[in-house]
Amino acid sequence: MLQVKDGSKKDIGRGIVRMDPADMGRLGLSDGEIVEIKGTRRTPVRLLATDHDNCGQEALFMDNLTRGNAGLSLDDRVSVHKVQVDFAMEVTIKPMTTMHLLEKDLDPKPLKEKIGGLPVIKGDRIRLSLGGGRDCDFQIVSTKPGGSVMLGPATELTVEKRTAGDRNEGVKYKDIGGLSGQLSRIREMIELPLRFPQAFLRLGVEPPKGVLLYGPPGTGKTVIAKAVANETEAWFTHISGPEIIGKYYGESEQRLRQVFEEAQAHAPSIIFIDEIDAIAPKREEMGGEKQVERRVVAQLLALMDGLQARGQIVVIAATNLPNSIDPALRRPGRFDREVPVPIPDRKGREEILQIHTRGMPLARDVDLSRIAEVTHGFVGADLEVLAKEAAMAALRGIMPSMDFEDPQVPYDRLRTMEIDMKNFSSALREVEPSAIREVFVERPNVTWDDVGGLDDVAMELREAVQWPLEHGDVFRRFRISPPKGIMIHGPSGTGKTLMVKALARESGANYISVKGPSLMSRYVGESERAIREVFRKAKQAAPSLLCFDEIESLVPVRGKDGGASSQFTDRVISQFLSEMGGMEDMDGVMVLATTNRIDLIDPAMFSAGRFDMVIELPLPDHDGRRAIFQVNLREKPLAQDVDLGELAKATEGATGGEISMICRMAATDAVREYIRAGETGQPTVEMRHFRKVLASRGRKKPVKEPQ
C-alpha cells in the first residue's frame, strides 16, 4: 500500500505513474511495465521510476486524470498489482466537454496517432490533442476485448457524439493555480473531518466546522469552494443573500433553517455561503429598520453553534470585506479558521496562465513567464480575461479572410490558428488589474528617451525603483530595503511630472496617480477615508507606484492656522503619516510625490520610513538645455542652419517646460508659413523661426522660486 502524491504536470494525460526504484525492486516491478492500481475503481497505468528528489517517500506519484480514473484523492492509500494487458481491436470514445465547431469536423484518424501506448479500461478518461494545441478529454465507452487493454495504431477508433444530457465536469484542484498553500490548509480542515471522523472521535475533540475565505474579488474564493465540493464527493449546497430574505415575518429564518436541515439529512455535506457580508453584517451598525437582517444574523449564529448539534456539516464562507462581518461569527466553533486568499505573486500568476492557456494553440514565441512578470496586481479572474482577450486579438487578425456567409470554418483553417506574443501584448493594453480598476490610470507613453538633461536624476530613480523590481533576489541577499517614498521638487517646468511618467512606464509596476486636492472633502472624516482607500488599493495591487502631484496642498505645515481648518489639516496629515510609516506593512508600494514648494510641506514627512529620498531638479545647464532641445526636435523637419548650441546659449535660465514651448511655437510659425505659401516647397523649421520666437518673448532670466 503506497500513499498517493501529486504527479508532475508533464505526465498529465499520458497514463503514467511514478514510483521509487527501491519500492519497484521490493515489489518485483520493472521500469515501463503496465500495472493496475486499485482505489474505488481499478485502472491500468504505465509504471516509471521517479526522479531523485521524490525518492524515499513510499509513495505513488500520479496526475489528477489518473487519480480520477482510479477513484483516488491525494494522500489516499493505493495498492499496485501486475496485470495482463491485451491490445485493443476496437475502442469507442466520447468527448466529455462540448467542442462546438470542432465537434462536427472531428475526424478519428488523426486521433489514432495520439493514442498509441495508452493503457485503458472501460470508464477511463483520456486526454487527446485535437491539433493546434487544443486538448479535449474523452471517456472510454467500450473496448474489444474487455478489461484492461492497450491502445495502438491498429485500434479501430469510433467517436460518439456528445448528447445534451451529458454533464460537464466540475472544477477540480488542478484548475486552481497559485494557491497551493491555501488549498492544503482547506483540505486538512474540510476533507479530514468528512472522510475520517473516527480519528477525531479517538482523539476526543470536535472536528473543525467552518472556514472563512477572504481576499480581493477575483482571487479564487468561490472556485476553491467548488473544487472542494467536487473533490470530496460530499453533498454540496450554497446560499446567496437575496434568496434567503423573504417578505413575511420569520420566512428568512425558516429558509436558513431548511438549508441546514437538508444538509444534515445528506451528511456529510458542505454549505457554501458566498458574500457572507451581505447576509451577516455587523448588528451594531444596523439601523432600527433592519430588524430582518438582525434576525437572520442571530439565526445563522444559532445554526452554526447553537444548543442543537450541527452534525457532520462543514460551512465555507467567502467575502472580500471580512471586517464587515458580525464579530460573533469570527470565533472558534463557528468559523474555526480564516484563510486569506491574496493576489498571486509572479510564480502564482505563471501557474494560473498555464491553466487558462493549456487548451490554446500557443505560438513558439509565447513566454508565459515574461507575461507573469509584467502582470503585477492581476488576480486569477484578470488573467483569465487576459487569455481570452489574446484569443480575441488572434481572431481579429483572421476575420478579413473569413467567409461570414458560410457558418462552417474549415478544419484545416482552424488548425492553423494560433496565439502569439503580439496578441498577448495587445491584450495587456486592454486589460487592467481589477484591484485598482477604480483608481486605474493609463500608463503614460513616456520613456527615459523623452527626458533630456536629467541623466543623473534618472539613474537615481532607476536604482531606487526599477532595480528592486528587476533584481529583487539581489536586494534580499544583501538585506537592502528600497526607500518607501521619494520626493521630487524643483521650480515649475523642470520636468518633475515627466520624470514620474517615465518611471511609471519603464518600471512596469501598477501606476496610481492622485491629485492632492482631489482627496479633500468638506465632510468630517471623508478626506481621511479617501487616503486610507488609496493606500489600500495600492497595497492590493503591489508592486505599485502611488504618485501624489502637488502634495503641498495635502500635507501642509501643521500649526500655521488656528481654528477648525487647522484641526482638519492635522487629521489629514496624521492619517497620511500613519499610512506611510505606521504599523502596517508597505511592502511593494512606492510613494512618489512632486512639489514646487517643498518649504510648505510638513517636516514630519521627511523622517526615516516616509519620504527618505529627496531629489531636487535644478534649472538645466548648457548641456542639459541642448539635450532638451534635441529631445523636443528629434522628430521635426529641421533646416541645416539650426544650431542647438546657439539655442542652448540663448535660453540661459530657461526650464525644460519653457524650452518645449519655444520648440512648439517655432514649429507652429513654420507650419503657418508653409500653409500660407500654398503648401509648396519642403516644410522645415529654420533658425530664423527660433530667433523670432525668442525675440517676441523678450526672454529674461526667470525669478528663482523660494526653496
Side-chain angles (χ1 to χ4, degrees):
M1 298 294 290
L2 299 171
Q3 192 174 25
V4 176
K5 296 289 186 182
D6 196 15
S8 172
K9 285 183 168 52
K10 66 182 180 182
D11 290 339
I12 293 179
R14 298 173 60 194
I16 291 174
V17 298
R18 297 184 182 270
M19 185 190 296
D20 187 342
D23 293 332
M24 291 169 61
R26 179 169 51 85
L27 297 174
L29 302 173
S30 58
D31 197 23
E33 184 177 357
I34 304 298
V35 297
E36 195 174 73
I37 56 175
K38 189 174 181 182
T40 56
R41 65 184 301 274
R42 59 192 179 91
T43 185
V45 293
R46 186 180 299 277
L47 184 64
L48 295 178
T50 187
D51 54 27
H52 179 72
D53 294 337
N54 292 324
C55 289
Q57 299 189 38
E58 293 190 356
L60 198 63
F61 297 88
M62 62 182 76
D63 63 278
N64 61 286
L65 207 61
T66 306
R67 292 200 303 270
N69 288 337
L72 294 166
S73 297
L74 293 175
D75 300 327
D76 281 352
R77 291 286 173 174
V78 62
S79 57
V80 182
H81 310 271
K82 292 191 175 185
V83 65
Q84 182 66 35
V85 179
D86 298 321
F87 279 96
M89 293 184 289
E90 297 178 8
V91 170
T92 302
I93 62 175
K94 180 171 67 173
M96 296 188 68
T97 53
T98 304
M99 293 181 294
H100 304 295
L101 298 176
L102 289 178
E103 191 170 338
K104 296 181 180 179
D105 298 316
L106 191 61
D107 183 6
K109 292 181 181 178
L111 297 180
K112 291 179 66 174
E113 303 173 1
K114 316 288 184 183
I115 63 175
L118 272 180
V120 297
I121 196 171
K122 180 181 176 181
D124 273 1
R125 263 177 36 189
I126 60 174
R127 183 163 296 168
L128 301 178
S129 173
L130 301 180
R134 173 75 186 270
D135 293 338
C136 180
D137 287 354
F138 294 84
Q139 186 174 28
I140 306 295
V141 177
S142 63
T143 63
K144 184 179 179 182
S148 296
V149 295
M150 176 76 75
L151 304 181
T155 303
E156 188 67 29
L157 188 64
T158 305
V159 182
E160 281 189 0
K161 293 292 184 182
R162 178 179 168 82
T163 60
D166 293 334
R167 184 175 64 89
N168 279 329
E169 185 193 4
V171 180
K172 299 287 187 180
Y173 290 147
K174 66 182 176 63
D175 300 314
I176 301 175
L179 295 172
S180 56
Q182 285 76 13
L183 282 176
S184 62
R185 293 179 66 190
I186 291 167
R187 287 187 61 228
E188 73 179 26
M189 284 284 296
I190 294 173
E191 287 191 24
L192 290 178
L194 294 179
R195 296 177 63 185
F196 308 110
Q198 63 275 13
F200 290 89
L201 291 174
R202 176 69 182 88
L203 294 173
V205 294
E206 279 284 323
K209 293 294 183 70
V211 179
L212 178 64
L213 306 176
Y214 66 92
T219 48
K221 301 182 292 296
T222 306
V223 175
I224 287 176
K226 291 179 180 177
V228 169
N230 290 326
E231 293 276 4
T232 57
E233 299 179 358
W235 190 82
F236 181 83
T237 186
H238 75 281
I239 300 173
S240 61
E243 67 185 18
I244 289 295
I245 305 300
K247 61 180 179 179
Y248 298 112
Y249 190 86
E251 186 179 2
S252 304
E253 299 93 301
Q254 183 184 3
R255 290 179 180 177
L256 202 55
R257 286 195 300 271
Q258 286 175 351
V259 172
F260 275 81
E261 288 169 2
E262 190 178 6
Q264 202 161 11
H266 293 85
S269 56
I270 296 173
I271 298 176
F272 176 57
I273 307 176
D274 204 2
E275 304 298 342
I276 192 174
D277 53 280
I279 299 176
K282 292 181 178 179
R283 286 172 290 179
E284 65 268 19
E285 295 181 1
M286 295 183 189
E289 71 280 359
K290 294 189 177 181
Q291 293 300 323
V292 176
E293 287 83 349
R294 289 176 183 271
R295 295 198 304 271
V296 169
V297 176
Q299 181 66 73
L300 185 60
L301 293 171
L303 289 170
M304 290 192 68
D305 188 24
L307 292 174
Q308 187 176 358
R310 198 194 328 176
Q312 208 175 354
I313 300 174
V314 175
V315 180
I316 307 176
T319 181
N320 59 333
L321 299 170
N323 295 326
S324 299
I325 301 172
D326 194 272
L329 281 170
R330 301 179 67 181
R331 71 156 177 81
R334 286 169 182 146
F335 288 115
D336 301 89
R337 183 169 296 180
E338 298 183 1
V339 179
V341 186
I343 292 176
D345 56 10
R346 193 208 65 80
K347 184 180 178 182
R349 292 194 296 270
E350 187 173 356
E351 287 182 14
I352 296 170
L353 284 169
Q354 287 173 350
I355 289 171
H356 288 304
T357 59
R358 63 188 171 196
M360 291 183 172
L362 299 180
R364 290 179 177 273
D365 66 337
V366 174
D367 186 357
L368 295 181
S369 177
R370 174 59 184 160
I371 297 172
E373 286 180 2
V374 299
T375 48
H376 305 295
F378 279 60
V379 296
D382 298 328
L383 295 171
E384 182 182 6
V385 173
L386 180 69
K388 290 179 180 177
E389 191 63 35
M392 291 301 298
L395 187 60
R396 292 187 203 106
I398 68 163
M399 280 182 65
S401 63
M402 293 176 66
D403 184 4
F404 286 90
E405 295 182 359
D406 184 5
Q408 296 297 326
V409 182
Y411 185 67
D412 292 339
R413 181 67 172 133
L414 290 174
R415 290 191 59 162
T416 58
M417 290 177 61
E418 62 179 12
I419 303 170
D420 56 22
M421 200 64 178
K422 289 182 180 178
N423 300 137
F424 277 99
S425 299
S426 175
L428 279 168
R429 291 193 291 270
E430 300 291 334
V431 181
E432 66 266 9
S434 58
I436 60 169
R437 198 158 288 165
E438 296 175 11
V439 292
F440 180 76
V441 178
E442 185 78 23
R443 189 170 282 116
N445 192 21
V446 178
T447 65
W448 292 122
D449 295 334
D450 300 319
V451 180
L454 295 170
D455 295 340
D456 294 340
V457 176
M459 193 62 212
E460 277 189 76
L461 290 174
R462 278 201 199 98
E463 293 175 359
V465 180
Q466 282 185 247
W467 283 14
L469 292 174
E470 296 172 358
H471 312 286
D473 53 340
V474 178
F475 276 72
R476 284 188 292 271
R477 193 179 307 149
F478 281 86
R479 300 291 191 273
I480 299 175
S481 299
K484 286 187 177 181
I486 300 175
M487 178 77 70
I488 303 176
H489 71 99
S492 299
T494 49
K496 300 183 294 296
T497 306
L498 189 70
M499 294 293 290
V500 171
K501 287 181 177 181
L503 185 62
R505 173 74 178 182
E506 296 286 351
S507 67
N510 290 312
Y511 174 54
I512 302 174
S513 178
V514 182
K515 301 290 188 295
S518 67
L519 296 180
M520 310 305 285
S521 173
R522 60 179 176 174
Y523 299 107
V524 176
E526 279 298 304
S527 300
E528 297 93 306
R529 188 194 62 80
I531 292 172
R532 286 196 303 271
E533 191 66 17
V534 166
F535 275 89
R536 186 181 70 84
K537 293 286 185 183
K539 291 172 188 174
Q540 281 189 355
S544 57
L545 293 180
L546 183 55
C547 306
F548 291 90
D549 202 9
E550 307 295 341
I551 196 173
E552 71 274 3
S553 63
L554 190 63
V555 287
V557 178
R558 286 176 287 186
K560 272 193 171 183
D561 302 319
S565 61
S566 178
Q567 296 176 8
F568 167 75
T569 302
D570 291 352
R571 289 198 307 270
V572 171
I573 294 175
S574 298
Q575 183 67 55
F576 199 98
L577 292 172
S578 64
E579 291 293 338
M580 280 200 71
M583 299 294 290
E584 295 184 11
D585 190 12
M586 280 276 290
D587 187 31
V589 179
M590 174 75 72
V591 181
L592 296 174
T594 63
T595 180
N596 57 350
R597 293 299 304 273
I598 196 171
D599 57 308
L600 298 182
I601 297 176
D602 193 87
M605 288 290 163
F606 303 103
S607 62
R610 286 162 185 151
F611 289 106
D612 33 20
M613 178 179 284
V614 180
I615 297 176
E616 181 182 4
L617 299 189
L619 293 174
D621 56 11
H622 181 276
D623 293 337
R625 294 193 297 276
R626 182 186 176 91
I628 296 171
F629 270 112
Q630 195 167 3
V631 168
N632 282 278
L633 298 175
R634 63 186 172 188
E635 295 180 356
K636 292 180 173 62
L638 297 179
Q640 294 290 333
D641 65 337
V642 174
D643 186 355
L644 298 183
E646 182 182 339
L647 291 174
K649 185 177 181 180
T651 53
E652 184 181 355
T655 64
E658 290 178 300
I659 293 173
S660 178
M661 183 181 293
I662 290 170
C663 295
R664 185 168 62 253
M665 292 179 68
T668 303
D669 196 31
V671 168
R672 188 182 299 116
E673 284 187 6
Y674 180 69
I675 293 175
R676 288 176 178 174
E679 299 186 9
T680 58
Q682 187 70 24
T684 56
V685 184
E686 302 175 9
M687 193 65 185
R688 59 188 177 84
H689 296 128
F690 287 99
R691 293 193 181 104
K692 182 179 178 181
V693 171
L694 291 172
S696 65
R697 288 176 59 83
R699 291 224 66 268
K700 294 180 181 179
K701 237 182 179 182
V703 179
K704 196 174 183 182
E705 298 186 32
Q707 300 296 313

